[in-house]
Amino acid sequence: MARLALLSVSNKTGIIDLARSLVEDFDFDLISSGGTAQALKDAGLPVTKVADYTGSPEILGGRVKTLHPRIHGGILARRDVPEDITDLENNQIRPIDLVVVNLYPFEETIAKPGVTLSQAVEQIDIGGPAMLRASSKNFAHLAVLCDPAQYEEYLQELRQNNGEASLEFRQKAALKGFSHTASYDQAIASYLSEAQQYTLSGTQLQSLRYGENPHQPATWYQTGTTPTGWTAATKLQGKELSYNNLVDLEAARRIIAEFTDTPAATIIKHTNPCGTALGSSISEAYQKAFNADSTSAFGGIVALNRPIDAATASELTKTFLECVVAPSCDPEAQEILSKKSNVRVLTLPDLSSGPKDTVKAIAGGFLVQASDDVIADSSQWQIVSGQPTPDELAELLFAWKVCKHVKSNAIVVTSDRTTLGVGAGQMNRVGSVKIALEQAGDKAKGASLASDGFFPFDDSVKTAAAAGITAIVQPGGSLRDKDSIIAANELGLVMVLTGVRHFLH
């Protein structure tokens, strides 16, 4: 008797090609439900609908389709237990050798703006997880596939093992099935809990060489079933990504996501920008960012918000870099970059989308906060000293966007939409001011300064003015704001208050 495969998928990627190979190359019979059955039929493949196989129609608007003894008996029967085989024969149930299931798109549904609770509930799959769990439990006797990426590997198993999938493959696939249902259930629980319970789950993507240091093991996990963010990036060349690479790449992505309308480049070292700039072209933006602090740029992480062209690629090869990421890479640029084969070059078309929450582990638990994704709007700022020109206001906005992504206490000095000095992570604000101004040197004359937090005293304002700074942007909110404002007025500085603080711990 031909072997039996049950196909019931929400994501139909690759399902026709898989089904065709099962039928034509390996003599499988197919049973299927709903839209999957129709897709197979439309492709000219022989398929029996689940309702015809079980003798029970789909009911409750499709809520009940596969919850039937002829389905679950065929999945759960142990082929080496005589009593199970007898039960199958007495109930006219065929053993099922392959189950291909993926689930209703619950996470994709709740991510849509304005989705209602009832709409979300209807995307909670019942029959799919039941089949996945049953199939995964009985991996000793059948195979289960829940990801289109598994299809070719399964077919290769059949080709190499006389039409059978190895026990090792079936067990690995079962683990993926259980992980898939666990992640799915956690997404539902998180959605319904209304913040009373926060669940975090992921599927291991790869083991990393080590973490921040060689004695720290590290692993990269993917959240959700659909690759997004860095799991969806394409690595064109270079060594494997490390833990520190990924942390720095995410910091670079967050900065570059601030700039969409103008070519922009940023260079990251230890999650802080050592150079960020805008330009008339992506090549110009990168050169300006590099020249902002060429010493620190050595061994840096580069993010660009435009495709890498030949001119930019040529500039990128002039120094040692760890990673480069851009939306895409021109073929000529890729050829140029290939001469630096150890540089990790990635393309990520969507550099703007990031996690909605940030999570930090602490002893006995973890902390969750909403990501700092407030969009800066200079029209809402309060001008408390001087009157900025449109160009000065644009410069302050640029400085403010960069400062948001510098470790606190953060000070950024800029001119011509280019960072000149960055003071990061100091224990007092005036220390960060001095570092940023020292980096800027004589270029600080006529430049702008951004501070991620308020000035508790007027000393930083006086220090900035003495170095030649002409405009300052800061959140305000100190009990001593008046002192800083008075100092700015007396020294002839422009000062604007944003009303928003951007500490980054």
Side-chain angles (χ1 to χ4, degrees):
M1 179 183 294
R3 286 171 295 176
L4 187 60
L6 170 60
L7 281 57
S8 180
V9 293
S10 175
N11 177 4
K12 295 176 175 55
T13 302
I15 195 65
I16 301 301
D17 290 338
L18 172 66
R20 195 178 306 281
S21 291
L22 292 175
V23 171
E24 296 178 358
D25 300 336
F26 300 103
D27 196 30
F28 273 84
D29 287 340
L30 306 180
I31 55 175
S32 188
S33 62
T36 308
Q38 188 61 52
L40 297 175
K41 183 179 178 182
D42 291 344
L45 293 167
V47 58
T48 300
K49 289 185 177 181
V50 165
D52 295 332
Y53 176 74
T54 62
S56 297
E58 295 183 8
I59 61 173
L60 307 182
R63 281 189 166 197
V64 179
K65 296 190 286 282
T66 57
L67 298 172
H68 192 280
R70 290 201 79 190
I71 298 298
H72 286 272
I75 292 173
L76 286 164
R78 294 159 292 185
R79 317 298 166 82
D80 55 356
V81 176
E83 291 82 0
D84 284 9
I85 300 303
T86 298
D87 283 342
L88 293 183
E89 293 172 349
N90 290 340
N91 291 279
Q92 298 181 313
I93 297 173
R94 289 178 62 181
I96 296 175
D97 297 279
L98 172 66
V99 174
V100 184
V101 176
N102 54 58
L103 309 179
Y104 293 169
F106 180 80
E107 290 180 278
E108 292 85 344
T109 298
I110 61 174
K112 296 176 181 177
V115 67
T116 65
L117 176 61
S118 61
Q119 289 171 330
V121 165
E122 286 308 310
Q123 291 301 317
I124 297 176
D125 204 327
I126 302 301
M131 289 188 290
L132 271 180
R133 289 178 58 81
S135 306
S136 298
K137 175 178 180 176
N138 205 28
F139 70 86
H141 301 284
L142 76 159
V144 57
L145 309 177
C146 62
D147 183 345
Q150 296 174 292
Y151 297 170
E152 183 54 38
E153 185 179 1
Y154 173 73
L155 293 174
Q156 194 63 26
E157 281 278 320
L158 298 187
R159 296 183 190 108
Q160 294 176 348
N161 299 294
N162 296 318
E164 298 290 340
S166 66
L167 179 61
E168 180 183 9
F169 174 84
R170 298 199 305 271
Q171 184 169 347
K172 182 176 71 171
L175 173 60
K176 190 173 182 69
F178 281 125
S179 298
H180 189 36
T181 57
S183 175
Y184 193 78
D185 286 341
Q186 285 192 337
I188 296 168
S190 294
Y191 176 74
L192 296 176
S193 68
E194 296 183 350
Q196 297 303 308
Q197 180 179 358
Y198 189 94
T199 55
L200 182 66
S201 67
T203 302
Q204 181 174 330
L205 195 64
Q206 67 181 77
S207 295
L208 303 172
R209 287 181 61 198
Y210 51 79
E212 287 178 306
N213 298 290
H215 62 276
Q216 296 173 266
T219 307
W220 183 6
Y221 291 88
Q222 173 185 313
T223 55
T225 56
T226 303
T228 59
W230 296 110
T231 63
T234 300
K235 185 161 72 72
L236 301 180
Q237 67 172 57
K239 298 181 290 186
E240 289 298 316
L241 291 167
S242 71
Y243 178 95
N244 290 334
N245 288 158
L246 288 162
V247 171
D248 283 337
L249 280 166
E250 177 60 12
R253 185 202 62 77
R254 286 200 288 268
I255 291 183
I256 214 68
E258 296 282 352
F259 307 104
T260 57
D261 298 333
T262 305
T266 189
I267 306 173
I268 296 291
K269 287 294 286 290
H270 309 298
T271 73
N272 282 307
C274 57
T276 303
L278 306 183
S280 59
S281 67
I282 196 62
S283 177
E284 181 190 26
Y286 170 71
Q287 289 179 68
K288 289 170 67 177
F290 177 81
N291 292 332
D293 186 354
S294 58
T295 300
S296 298
F298 183 85
I301 306 288
V302 175
L304 311 169
N305 72 346
R306 295 290 189 274
I308 307 172
D309 55 23
T312 309
S314 295
E315 292 298 322
L316 291 167
T317 60
K318 291 180 179 180
T319 191
F320 168 66
L321 299 170
E322 286 280 352
C323 303
V324 178
V325 63
S328 61
C329 183
D330 296 347
E332 186 179 358
Q334 192 170 346
E335 176 65 24
I336 294 169
L337 290 167
S338 68
K339 296 172 184 175
K340 292 273 190 175
S341 59
N342 285 335
V343 180
R344 303 162 179 88
V345 178
L346 298 91
T347 58
L348 181 59
D350 182 8
L351 284 162
S352 62
S353 298
K356 295 180 179 179
D357 300 322
T358 58
V359 182
K360 289 191 177 182
I362 60 173
F366 56 89
L367 308 175
V368 181
Q369 66 171 350
S371 294
D372 186 3
D373 54 6
V374 173
I375 299 173
D377 181 1
S378 59
S379 69
Q380 301 300 311
W381 293 353
Q382 181 184 4
I383 300 170
V384 294
S385 176
Q387 185 60 49
T389 67
D391 187 68
E392 283 179 318
L393 202 57
E395 189 69 46
L396 289 171
L397 180 60
F398 170 77
W400 182 244
K401 286 182 174 182
V402 177
C403 193
K404 172 182 176 181
H405 300 282
V406 176
K407 292 286 187 179
S408 296
N409 288 309
I411 298 292
V412 173
V413 176
T414 77
S415 180
D416 188 28
R417 315 304 187 265
T418 305
T419 55
L420 303 177
V422 178
Q426 298 304 300
M427 285 62 72
N428 63 78
R429 192 159 299 278
V430 72
S432 289
V433 170
K434 289 177 179 178
I435 290 172
L437 291 172
E438 182 181 349
Q439 282 186 349
D442 290 340
K443 293 180 180 179
K445 293 181 173 62
S448 297
L449 181 147
S451 172
D452 68 338
F454 59 66
F455 295 117
F457 306 101
D458 62 8
D459 50 0
S460 291
V461 177
K462 293 177 179 178
T463 300
I469 295 295
T470 58
I472 293 176
V473 57
Q474 55 126 329
S478 169
L479 294 175
R480 301 173 67 100
D481 273 349
K482 185 178 179 181
D483 293 346
S484 294
I485 294 170
I486 289 173
N489 273 296
E490 290 177 348
L491 295 165
L493 272 65
V494 167
M495 180 177 284
V496 297
L497 306 183
T498 67
V500 177
R501 189 183 74 184
H502 285 305
F503 280 176
L504 180 60
H505 281 72

